[in-house]
Amino acid sequence: MVVAPPSAMTALTLAEMHVRRWELKAVCSCCGIKLRVSLPAMIRTYGPDAVWWGRKPACPGLECDGGSLTYAARALRGGSWVSMAQAPGDVAMAAYSKRQRTYPGPR
Ligand SMILES: [Zn+2]
């Protein structure tokens, strides 16, 4: 089975990433802190429809001077990490709304 690399075309929201069992991590470019991201915890906090592509929240590091986190995702254990720094474009948003029509309702 071929698994496509992480892309906003494949999974736009936190719930879609979780269904595909993606892993997420966050890295601060300023202090270098690395955080493992729990998708179930993210979904509890921000909701299943939250879009994390293009998000750069402030770094929580106490020693950090105004850095921001950039996220990366990977589809398989041992697969390559793909940066999520790019906000989803119109094409990805259109693909998402098409998926919602094809598979209505939560699983
Ligand atoms: Zn930092």
Side-chain angles (χ1 to χ4, degrees):
M1 181 175 149
V2 176
V3 177
S7 145
M9 288 294 293
T10 315
L12 187 70
T13 62
L14 295 178
E16 284 193 306
M17 291 190 263
H18 186 45
V19 163
R20 286 170 173 76
R21 302 194 178 285
W22 287 9
E23 291 180 88
L24 257 63
K25 68 174 180 181
V27 180
C28 175
S29 55
C30 179
C31 67
I33 194 174
K34 289 188 177 68
L35 302 171
R36 255 194 88 77
V37 179
S38 159
L39 275 170
M42 294 272 282
I43 288 169
R44 276 197 299 275
T45 306
Y46 301 102
D49 296 328
V51 177
W52 227 252
W53 298 90
R55 297 259 192 146
K56 289 171 188 174
C59 175
L62 296 174
E63 308 282 303
C64 187
D65 184 21
S68 58
L69 298 174
T70 49
Y71 286 82
R74 69 175 177 181
L76 285 174
R77 197 165 289 280
S80 55
W81 291 97
V82 173
S83 170
M84 296 178 65
Q86 192 80 35
D90 293 343
V91 179
M93 298 301 281
Y96 173 68
S97 56
K98 195 172 170 187
R99 283 198 295 279
Q100 296 305 99
R101 280 202 300 276
T102 313
Y103 306 104
R107 290 202 276 174

